[in-house]
Amino acid sequence: MDKKHKKILFISGGVLTTGAIVTTVLLIRRRNKRKRGLLPPSGSDTRPANLLTTNSNTLPSNFRNWNGGSDYLSSAPRGIRNNNPGNLIFTNINWTGKLPKEQNKDRRFEMFIAPEYGIRAMIKDLKNDIEKGKNTVPALMTEYAPRFENNTDAYIQTVCKDLKVSATAKLLPTKNTLRLLVHSISRVENGGNYITNELFDKAYAMI
């Protein structure tokens, strides 16, 4: 047995099968990759709906999904199936178009009646934070994607790159800056950008 496997056995405090050793090694490698920023931030949940994230609540009849239908897109990224591309956590904030808890199918995040309302909430959240003084990408993203559940440094680097700004650049809550922020954050949170400029403009017109 090599030194690596001996170390794993010692840490476990017991006897591991070959399969358990392999699993442990893979988990350690994955943890180390996340530390180095090689994996997406943990907040970007693109898994299909499952018992850990959803409940049996019934959607309202006027619910409109990202494709224009009325069904719950269970295989879509979490932010898209919830019409919440920024993955805003469920709070007591009375966002326009927000589904009440008894109609929300997600156990943790907000759901909105239609995509533009989720984008609107995302825009307002970012705009408010910038206006309150969190007007650099690091300050903004540390608030938006806290370190206890995200690879915040990797998130900051991605957003700076997408906005083509330095970490010390002062942000103004202009429509163009907010558009770039929304596109960048949505890509991180959902594994791709599902927000067209037309959809952004529709949401922005409602703030």
Side-chain angles (χ1 to χ4, degrees), residues 7-175:
K7 185 176 181 181
I8 293 170
L9 287 173
F10 176 75
I11 292 172
S12 69
V15 178
L16 295 178
T17 64
T18 301
I21 291 173
V22 171
T23 300
T24 304
V25 171
L26 289 174
L27 288 173
I28 291 173
R29 286 177 179 171
R30 182 174 178 83
R31 180 194 63 194
N32 290 339
K33 281 185 178 180
R34 189 174 297 283
K35 283 184 177 180
R36 295 197 303 271
L38 300 179
L39 294 176
S42 58
S44 54
D45 184 351
T46 58
R47 296 171 298 171
N50 54 57
L51 293 177
L52 295 177
T53 61
T54 62
N55 54 48
S56 59
N57 288 348
T58 301
L59 294 173
S61 59
N62 59 340
F63 176 80
R64 176 163 47 83
N65 66 32
W66 216 270
N67 294 333
S70 59
D71 55 320
Y72 187 60
L73 302 177
S74 59
S75 62
R78 194 172 189 174
I80 301 307
R81 64 180 183 249
N82 290 338
N83 288 337
N84 177 11
N87 280 330
L88 299 179
I89 293 174
F90 191 90
T91 65
N92 292 326
I93 298 174
N94 292 319
W95 298 113
T96 301
K98 162 181 173 168
L99 295 188
K101 192 169 185 178
E102 61 270 17
Q103 293 178 332
N104 187 329
K105 293 185 70 65
D106 197 284
R107 294 179 182 273
R108 185 183 179 206
F109 293 97
E110 299 277 20
M111 280 193 72
F112 293 89
I113 196 70
E116 59 267 26
Y117 290 99
I119 299 169
R120 174 191 179 275
M122 187 180 179
I123 294 170
K124 285 187 69 69
D125 187 56
L126 292 167
K127 184 173 184 290
N128 288 341
D129 281 345
I130 293 173
E131 290 175 344
K132 289 177 181 177
K134 296 179 175 64
N135 58 354
T136 64
V137 172
L140 186 63
M141 298 318 302
T142 300
E143 172 76 12
Y144 193 93
R147 296 182 187 280
F148 72 89
E149 61 178 358
N150 293 275
N151 185 340
T152 307
D153 290 335
Y155 215 136
I156 290 168
Q157 290 174 12
T158 296
V159 175
C160 281
K161 182 179 179 181
D162 288 346
L163 269 65
K164 296 181 172 60
V165 299
S166 70
T168 58
K170 300 297 183 183
L171 303 177
L172 295 174
T174 63
K175 182 178 181 180

